[in-house]
Amino acid sequence: MAEVGSYARIAVVTGAARGVGAAVARRLARRGMRLALLGRELDSLRQVAAGLPTEAHCFEVDVTDEAALQGAARSVATRLGPASVVIANAGIAAAGPFATCEASLFDRVVEVNLIGSANTARVFLPQLTRTGGYFLQVASTAAFGSAPLMSAYCASKAGVESFAQALRTEVRPAGVGVGIAYLHWTGTDMIAALDDHPVLRALRSHQPAPARRVHSPERVAEWLVRGVERRAVSVYAPPWLRLVQPLRPVLPLVVSAVARRSLSALSFEELERTTGVLGAGGAADLRARGAVPPVRPVTPPQT
């Protein structure tokens, strides 16, 4: 991994309380990096830190709160030194029909996944510029072919891909590398209830056998850290996903065709039962924010 001066080998991982974030932190620590673990659940972050073989500091922060994130970035620089690697991994997902999904939940998914990633890049870019560091944006194959019942998640992951591509060109003259990680089916709690979501279950069942495989967070972390070591432009988890890139223009059509067949066999009531946030991380975010009431309709002023 790139080293600049005496403060090299410091990594920041958002969404580090569990899943891929925690697994990446463990692999980076085994490579001698010191860690800053960011997330919404301080106790879980501390449990991850306690199992690391190197120095680690925990920061309970909401990536959508730029002021709080700026404070965390200052604390990282003070306690550890400027970051040489930043992994924007924090994300949540919600499933269900767009028409019945609360606007506040849809907006929150986009806010955490897209705006949170942009905030992370913004506050840590001065440190990465100082170290000639590397920023890895965690995206998803959801950016390849958007799945119905996952509209907010797919929109946000397509957004972070585009954001990272634009950012890469902007910061290259400063010596900062930007990579995009494309994750496929990963065995985190976000997809633990995969079989409860009929369209996602159908999409997976229609994929070739290698594409249906669910990979452990530890295996995915191995691929991601290998990409960090190479300062890769693109990281594929699993690696064969790179072969799918040329097929991206037709993937939305394929996904749509499979989804139409699956949706036609389901009642509206069955689809409604799939609505809600996925995984413990998303649930923790909702708890931390408190219940958000639906927006009440307001009659515009008449002229």
Side-chain angles (χ1 to χ4, degrees):
M1 298 182 187
E3 294 192 12
V4 179
S6 61
Y7 44 68
R9 301 183 67 78
I10 295 164
V12 175
V13 182
T14 68
R18 59 170 52 82
V20 171
V24 166
R26 288 190 288 268
R27 285 199 169 267
L28 291 173
R30 288 201 290 269
R31 283 159 171 76
M33 298 198 78
R34 293 180 290 155
L35 275 298
L37 308 179
L38 278 60
R40 298 301 301 268
E41 301 162 88
L42 187 57
D43 289 342
S44 297
L45 292 172
R46 286 171 173 165
Q47 290 175 13
V48 175
L52 301 181
T54 56
E55 181 182 4
H57 293 261
C58 302
F59 302 89
E60 184 176 8
V61 64
D62 178 355
V63 293
T64 70
D65 185 341
E66 186 179 349
L69 201 55
Q70 287 280 9
R74 288 192 296 271
S75 295
V76 169
T78 300
R79 299 184 192 182
L80 292 165
S84 50
V85 172
V86 174
I87 300 177
N89 167 72
I92 62 173
F98 173 77
T100 58
C101 178
E102 289 288 353
S104 59
L105 179 56
F106 184 99
D107 293 351
R108 183 60 181 172
V109 172
V110 175
E111 185 181 22
V112 171
N113 297 358
L114 177 55
I115 304 304
S117 293
N119 286 344
T120 301
R122 183 179 296 112
V123 305
F124 283 104
L125 267 177
Q127 297 182 31
L128 293 175
T129 299
R130 183 177 173 185
T131 61
Y134 176 75
F135 179 84
L136 180 62
Q137 174 63 61
V138 175
S140 167
T141 52
F144 290 9
S146 299
L149 303 189
M150 295 288 289
S151 56
Y153 184 76
C154 292
S156 67
K157 289 303 182 180
V160 296
E161 178 191 37
S162 185
F163 162 69
Q165 288 171 340
L167 180 67
R168 177 185 297 141
T169 304
E170 293 181 25
V171 300
R172 182 176 291 143
V176 177
V178 175
I180 304 171
Y182 297 96
L183 277 58
H184 199 42
W185 300 114
T186 304
T188 66
D189 57 40
M190 189 180 288
I191 69 162
L194 177 65
D195 289 340
D196 294 334
H197 297 278
V199 172
L200 296 181
R201 183 175 65 241
L203 289 172
R204 182 164 169 254
S205 68
H206 283 81
Q207 292 175 341
R212 293 198 299 268
R213 183 178 178 184
V214 177
H215 298 277
S216 70
E218 291 71 24
R219 186 70 170 122
V220 170
E222 179 184 347
W223 289 319
L224 266 57
V225 170
R226 194 178 301 164
V228 171
E229 292 174 329
R230 294 185 290 107
R231 293 170 65 92
V233 170
S234 299
V235 182
Y236 297 95
W240 60 258
L241 280 175
R242 69 178 65 252
L243 302 176
V244 179
Q245 281 283 19
L247 303 176
R248 287 186 63 172
V250 302
L251 287 179
L253 299 176
V254 173
V255 171
S256 179
V258 173
R260 280 200 304 272
R261 290 197 298 269
S262 302
L263 287 170
S264 65
L266 299 170
S267 68
F268 185 77
E269 290 73 20
E270 288 175 298
L271 292 177
E272 272 198 307
R273 286 200 295 271
T274 68
T275 302
V277 70
L278 300 178
D285 179 75
L286 291 184
R287 287 196 302 272
R289 295 175 62 237
V292 179
V295 177
R296 297 183 61 184
V298 177
T299 302
Q302 303 299 307
T303 58

